[in-house]
Amino acid sequence: MQIAHDILLRSYRSMRTIRDFEERLHVEFATGEIPGFVHLYCGEEASAVGVCAHLTDTDTIASTHRGHGHCIAKGVGVDGMMAEIYGRKTGVCHGKGGSMHIADLSLGMLGANGIVGGGPPLICGAALSHKVLNDGGVAVAFYGDGASNEGTTLESLNLAMVWQLPAVFVCEDNGYGEATGASYACAGTQKARAAGFGMPYFDCDGTDFFAVYEAAGAAIAHARAGNGPVMLHVQLARWYGHFEGDAMTYRANGEVASLRAEHDCLKNFRQRVTEVSLLEPSALDDIDASVKDEIDAAVTAAKNAPLPEPADLEADVYVSY
Amino acid sequence: MSKKSFRQAINEALRQEMQRDPRVILMGEDIAGGQGGTAGVVDAWGGVLGVTKGLYTEFGANRVFDTPISEASYIGAAVGAAATGLRPVAELMFVDFVGCCLDQIMNQAAKFRYMFGGKARTPLVIRAMYGAGFNAAAQHSQALYPLFTHIPGLKVVVPSSPYEAKGLLIEAIRDDDPVIFLENKVMYDDEEEVPDEPYSIPFGEANLTREGDDVTIVAFGRMVNFANEAADRLEKDGISCTVVDPRTTSPLDSATILECVEDTGRLVIVDESSPRCNMATDVAALVAEQAFDALKAPIRQVVPPHTPVPFATVLEKLYLPDSARIESAVRSVMAYKKAKQDA
Ligand SMILES: Cc1ncc(C[n+]2csc(CCOP(=O)(O)OP(=O)(O)O)c2C)c(N)n1
Ligand SMILES: [Mg+2]
């Protein structure tokens, strides 16, 4: 599959941004300065980026508690995200939401979500908007293997089929819901679940950007063309604990080390594009350096940003009252 | 007797009741943890905050059930199991997740006994954590006990300390009605002396953590601690308070609340749940209706604003009632002078 240079560069940059953002949060969280719960997306970058590479600001996504990657891939700025995670007034949600609630509706980013399975029904609604308003948009729900067991998710698969919505259900299967393995918690297969609803099904290796890009392209094209909803099953793995502070006692020793060594989407991307001289290593090095600066700047700015003010407490509960 | 944390007190209550009664079972997400994991370790978590740690190891797979992330089905299963011979204790993790399974609680468990003409028993406990102060933001910080209190057929427990938690949880497990047992997530490491042997604390009997002459403070859950702190400081200025911990919001010990207000003539209510239709409004209505003549000052409520719980620490601090706000509410009712009434 031929992918244009600018898409390759943009995608690499996006994946690198997610990686550095998350690795940096891991370090900063350990200092105790970051409040609340933080769930890192490291290791899963190719999924968010491979899917969102096919989307525009007209299209809508709904994310999860592990949402930083989806936000960055959909174009939310790292400055506003970092400030939000630090609980600052300059954050995308003015410090009201934090890591689990980063949202920017102007970019079609319907929010990370603290409620597992909260996204799929919302995406049925977003897809309905696209359909009724006839704006050509599609709506994409990212949800985990754990979330695939929520009634809300299963009902949404059915509703989307019944209403023939331009919806894409991206099941990010990292093998765990918190400390419990998918092999314990998920009966049957996602493929069979899709088939049960008569929904077209695509799958891919979520640690390989090119595989995700290709499968997501086909899935999204199907939905965008008005052929109804689809499921995209993305097999991947997270590199950190469920949340920061999780000692991962349920994972085998060495599991993460071998993922880092063999299933690093960034390393694999670099190898793939430089081997065949699609991109120069120096172009990727430049991106690496500039992303590093960008993340440094975001953290410094967030730490120095003003806190919310008392009046913010009661603002924005209602549009009018 | 030994020092135990809130977490240990709850764990001990569960263990002792499971030892006593083979029909007591546990279910919830990651309450053991590690099943299907590559380490091959079960009981890897013991719940997201470690409250049920060790119980899978002690009681095994036929008593302790990890669930898929499917609240509607497993909470419903707990209801069904309770109606058919087991005594399940289901953990909902964060009480905010009740949005995913409210039907099974509100329309099923709560209604069975009445709707079936008294023929059903649903000896079920649903444990969940509640409360702000953890920077857990709007979907993981609510204090939803008024929501459950509103529903006839449910009993609702809001323990204020490790000692209270153990005795009230044992009572909840032995109770034949569905009980919602809400644990403040900020309190898990609080410690106090807790008896090693099992004991139970009856529902609907308020605890007076101190008795005074000037002001009655009714507080719920964690707010009882704040009320005690405020009362300590006020004592130094010669203002003596009665602090009432109702322990359960349903049933509510109205008699004790009314007696205390009759004695002191002043009432401050502290409730960390959203201010409309919460326990503070409920208690205020009770006292206004039944102890009006005893009141020397208007009833004061110390409650959060009518907003979702904010994330940022500065805002969350402003949101949550604290001992300083309780203290100033008490001072304001003490300072109140009745305006001369028109003839
Ligand atoms: C309704 C609901 N139930 C439970 C939780 C607690 N919780 C947060 S994340 C999570 C695991 C989700 O697993 P999965 O969907 O596979 O996503 P992953 O964390 O693996 O990305 C759980 C149980 C929640 N936030 N909301
Ligand atoms: Mg998962």
Short mmCIF file of all heavy atoms in Angstrom, two decimals, chain B residues 9 18 20 26 102 113 115-116 130 137 147 177 187 193 199 206 210 218 220 238 268 283 287-288 297 307 313 321 326:
data_model
loop_
_atom_site.label_atom_id
_atom_site.label_comp_id
_atom_site.label_asym_id
_atom_site.label_seq_id
_atom_site.Cartn_x
_atom_site.Cartn_y
_atom_site.Cartn_z
N ALA B 9 -10.41 -3.25 58.36
CA ALA B 9 -11.64 -3.52 59.09
C ALA B 9 -12.69 -4.12 58.16
O ALA B 9 -13.41 -5.05 58.52
CB ALA B 9 -12.16 -2.23 59.73
N MET B 18 -17.69 -14.64 55.92
CA MET B 18 -17.54 -15.77 54.99
C MET B 18 -17.21 -17.05 55.73
O MET B 18 -17.65 -18.13 55.36
CB MET B 18 -16.47 -15.46 53.94
CG MET B 18 -16.92 -14.39 52.97
SD MET B 18 -15.67 -14.00 51.75
CE MET B 18 -15.91 -15.38 50.60
N ARG B 20 -18.21 -17.67 58.77
CA ARG B 20 -19.39 -18.02 59.55
C ARG B 20 -20.49 -18.64 58.70
O ARG B 20 -21.18 -19.56 59.11
CB ARG B 20 -19.93 -16.75 60.23
CG ARG B 20 -21.04 -16.97 61.25
CD ARG B 20 -21.61 -15.65 61.76
NE ARG B 20 -22.20 -14.84 60.70
CZ ARG B 20 -23.41 -15.03 60.19
NH1 ARG B 20 -24.17 -16.01 60.63
NH2 ARG B 20 -23.85 -14.26 59.22
N LEU B 26 -18.54 -13.38 47.34
CA LEU B 26 -18.14 -12.05 46.87
C LEU B 26 -18.05 -12.04 45.36
O LEU B 26 -17.68 -13.03 44.74
CB LEU B 26 -16.75 -11.68 47.40
CG LEU B 26 -16.47 -11.77 48.90
CD1 LEU B 26 -15.06 -11.24 49.19
CD2 LEU B 26 -17.51 -10.98 49.69
N LEU B 102 -28.23 0.57 37.45
CA LEU B 102 -29.23 1.07 38.40
C LEU B 102 -30.53 0.27 38.33
O LEU B 102 -31.18 0.06 39.35
CB LEU B 102 -29.48 2.57 38.19
CG LEU B 102 -30.34 3.25 39.25
CD1 LEU B 102 -29.75 3.10 40.64
CD2 LEU B 102 -30.52 4.74 38.92
N ARG B 113 -39.42 -7.38 47.63
CA ARG B 113 -40.15 -7.78 48.83
C ARG B 113 -41.58 -7.23 48.81
O ARG B 113 -42.56 -7.96 48.96
CB ARG B 113 -39.42 -7.31 50.08
CG ARG B 113 -40.11 -7.76 51.34
CD ARG B 113 -39.17 -7.88 52.52
NE ARG B 113 -39.93 -8.29 53.70
CZ ARG B 113 -40.32 -9.53 53.94
NH1 ARG B 113 -40.00 -10.51 53.10
NH2 ARG B 113 -41.01 -9.83 55.02
N MET B 115 -43.31 -5.75 46.23
CA MET B 115 -44.06 -6.05 45.00
C MET B 115 -44.55 -7.51 44.99
O MET B 115 -45.58 -7.82 44.42
CB MET B 115 -43.07 -5.83 43.86
CG MET B 115 -43.61 -5.44 42.54
SD MET B 115 -42.23 -4.82 41.52
CE MET B 115 -41.14 -6.20 41.38
N PHE B 116 -43.77 -8.39 45.63
CA PHE B 116 -44.15 -9.81 45.67
C PHE B 116 -44.94 -10.14 46.94
O PHE B 116 -44.98 -11.27 47.39
CB PHE B 116 -42.90 -10.71 45.59
CG PHE B 116 -42.11 -10.58 44.31
CD1 PHE B 116 -40.79 -11.03 44.24
CD2 PHE B 116 -42.66 -10.03 43.15
CE1 PHE B 116 -40.06 -10.92 43.07
CE2 PHE B 116 -41.93 -9.91 41.97
CZ PHE B 116 -40.62 -10.36 41.93
N TYR B 130 -17.08 6.03 47.59
CA TYR B 130 -17.68 7.31 47.21
C TYR B 130 -16.78 8.44 47.67
O TYR B 130 -15.86 8.26 48.45
CB TYR B 130 -19.07 7.46 47.87
CG TYR B 130 -19.02 7.90 49.31
CD1 TYR B 130 -19.09 9.25 49.66
CD2 TYR B 130 -18.88 6.97 50.34
CE1 TYR B 130 -19.02 9.66 50.99
CE2 TYR B 130 -18.82 7.38 51.66
CZ TYR B 130 -18.89 8.72 51.99
OH TYR B 130 -18.82 9.12 53.30
N ALA B 137 -12.00 13.38 39.84
CA ALA B 137 -12.86 14.11 38.90
C ALA B 137 -14.31 13.65 38.90
O ALA B 137 -14.72 12.82 39.71
CB ALA B 137 -12.27 14.09 37.49
N LEU B 147 -29.16 9.28 46.51
CA LEU B 147 -29.83 8.61 45.39
C LEU B 147 -30.45 7.29 45.86
O LEU B 147 -31.59 6.96 45.54
CB LEU B 147 -28.78 8.34 44.30
CG LEU B 147 -29.24 7.81 42.97
CD1 LEU B 147 -29.76 8.97 42.14
CD2 LEU B 147 -28.06 7.19 42.22
N ASP B 177 -32.36 -7.56 53.86
CA ASP B 177 -32.74 -6.63 52.79
C ASP B 177 -31.52 -6.22 51.97
O ASP B 177 -30.39 -6.36 52.43
CB ASP B 177 -33.38 -5.38 53.40
CG ASP B 177 -34.76 -5.67 53.97
OD1 ASP B 177 -35.57 -6.31 53.27
OD2 ASP B 177 -35.01 -5.28 55.13
N MET B 187 -10.68 7.44 53.11
CA MET B 187 -10.54 6.96 54.49
C MET B 187 -9.86 5.60 54.64
O MET B 187 -9.65 5.14 55.77
CB MET B 187 -11.93 6.89 55.16
CG MET B 187 -12.51 8.26 55.48
SD MET B 187 -14.22 8.20 56.05
CE MET B 187 -14.13 6.97 57.33
N GLU B 193 -8.59 1.63 66.93
CA GLU B 193 -8.73 0.34 67.59
C GLU B 193 -10.02 -0.33 67.12
O GLU B 193 -11.09 0.28 67.14
CB GLU B 193 -8.82 0.54 69.11
CG GLU B 193 -7.53 1.03 69.75
CD GLU B 193 -6.42 -0.01 69.71
OE1 GLU B 193 -6.73 -1.23 69.80
OE2 GLU B 193 -5.24 0.39 69.57
N TYR B 199 -18.51 -8.33 65.50
CA TYR B 199 -19.56 -7.62 66.25
C TYR B 199 -20.41 -6.90 65.22
O TYR B 199 -19.97 -6.64 64.10
CB TYR B 199 -18.97 -6.63 67.26
CG TYR B 199 -18.09 -5.58 66.60
CD1 TYR B 199 -18.62 -4.34 66.21
CD2 TYR B 199 -16.75 -5.84 66.34
CE1 TYR B 199 -17.81 -3.40 65.58
CE2 TYR B 199 -15.95 -4.90 65.71
CZ TYR B 199 -16.48 -3.68 65.33
OH TYR B 199 -15.69 -2.77 64.70
N ALA B 206 -28.33 6.09 65.63
CA ALA B 206 -27.25 7.06 65.47
C ALA B 206 -26.23 6.93 66.59
O ALA B 206 -26.55 6.47 67.69
CB ALA B 206 -27.83 8.47 65.46
N ARG B 210 -19.94 12.97 70.40
CA ARG B 210 -19.78 13.80 71.59
C ARG B 210 -21.11 14.47 71.90
O ARG B 210 -21.95 14.61 71.01
CB ARG B 210 -18.69 14.85 71.40
CG ARG B 210 -19.10 15.92 70.39
CD ARG B 210 -17.93 16.81 70.08
NE ARG B 210 -16.85 16.00 69.54
CZ ARG B 210 -15.56 16.22 69.81
NH1 ARG B 210 -15.20 17.19 70.60
NH2 ARG B 210 -14.64 15.46 69.26
N VAL B 218 -25.17 17.34 62.70
CA VAL B 218 -25.45 16.04 62.11
C VAL B 218 -24.55 15.91 60.89
O VAL B 218 -24.57 16.77 60.01
CB VAL B 218 -26.93 15.90 61.69
CG1 VAL B 218 -27.17 14.56 60.98
CG2 VAL B 218 -27.84 16.03 62.91
N PHE B 220 -22.41 13.10 58.00
CA PHE B 220 -22.48 11.77 57.38
C PHE B 220 -21.10 11.32 56.91
O PHE B 220 -20.35 12.09 56.31
CB PHE B 220 -23.44 11.80 56.18
CG PHE B 220 -24.85 12.07 56.60
CD1 PHE B 220 -25.31 13.37 56.75
CD2 PHE B 220 -25.70 11.02 56.92
CE1 PHE B 220 -26.61 13.63 57.17
CE2 PHE B 220 -27.00 11.26 57.35
CZ PHE B 220 -27.46 12.57 57.47
N GLY B 238 -15.51 27.72 74.25
CA GLY B 238 -16.68 27.58 75.10
C GLY B 238 -17.97 27.26 74.36
O GLY B 238 -19.05 27.39 74.91
N VAL B 268 -26.69 22.26 62.71
CA VAL B 268 -25.85 22.38 61.51
C VAL B 268 -25.76 20.98 60.91
O VAL B 268 -25.51 20.00 61.64
CB VAL B 268 -24.44 22.91 61.87
CG1 VAL B 268 -23.50 22.79 60.67
CG2 VAL B 268 -24.53 24.35 62.36
N VAL B 283 -32.82 16.07 56.48
CA VAL B 283 -32.78 16.28 57.93
C VAL B 283 -33.35 17.66 58.28
O VAL B 283 -34.07 17.81 59.28
CB VAL B 283 -31.34 16.11 58.46
CG1 VAL B 283 -31.23 16.54 59.91
CG2 VAL B 283 -30.90 14.65 58.31
N VAL B 287 -36.48 18.33 60.90
CA VAL B 287 -36.40 19.18 62.09
C VAL B 287 -37.34 20.37 61.98
O VAL B 287 -38.01 20.74 62.96
CB VAL B 287 -34.93 19.62 62.33
CG1 VAL B 287 -34.84 20.69 63.41
CG2 VAL B 287 -34.09 18.39 62.70
N ALA B 288 -37.42 20.95 60.79
CA ALA B 288 -38.31 22.11 60.63
C ALA B 288 -39.75 21.69 60.91
O ALA B 288 -40.53 22.45 61.50
CB ALA B 288 -38.18 22.67 59.21
N ALA B 297 -32.28 29.23 66.18
CA ALA B 297 -31.63 29.85 65.02
C ALA B 297 -32.00 29.05 63.79
O ALA B 297 -32.42 27.89 63.90
CB ALA B 297 -30.11 29.84 65.21
N THR B 307 -22.64 21.54 41.65
CA THR B 307 -21.81 21.36 40.45
C THR B 307 -21.28 19.94 40.46
O THR B 307 -21.25 19.30 41.51
CB THR B 307 -20.58 22.30 40.47
OG1 THR B 307 -19.63 21.79 41.43
CG2 THR B 307 -20.93 23.73 40.85
N THR B 313 -7.02 20.41 42.20
CA THR B 313 -6.98 20.38 43.67
C THR B 313 -7.59 21.63 44.29
O THR B 313 -8.37 21.54 45.23
CB THR B 313 -5.52 20.23 44.15
OG1 THR B 313 -4.96 19.11 43.46
CG2 THR B 313 -5.44 19.99 45.65
N PRO B 321 -16.98 20.29 51.71
CA PRO B 321 -17.08 20.84 53.06
C PRO B 321 -15.85 20.45 53.89
O PRO B 321 -15.29 19.38 53.69
CB PRO B 321 -18.32 20.16 53.64
CG PRO B 321 -19.12 19.75 52.46
CD PRO B 321 -18.12 19.42 51.38
N ILE B 326 -17.48 24.11 58.74
CA ILE B 326 -18.41 23.66 59.79
C ILE B 326 -18.30 24.59 60.99
O ILE B 326 -19.31 25.04 61.56
CB ILE B 326 -18.08 22.20 60.20
CG1 ILE B 326 -18.24 21.26 59.00
CG2 ILE B 326 -18.98 21.77 61.36
CD1 ILE B 326 -17.68 19.86 59.22
#
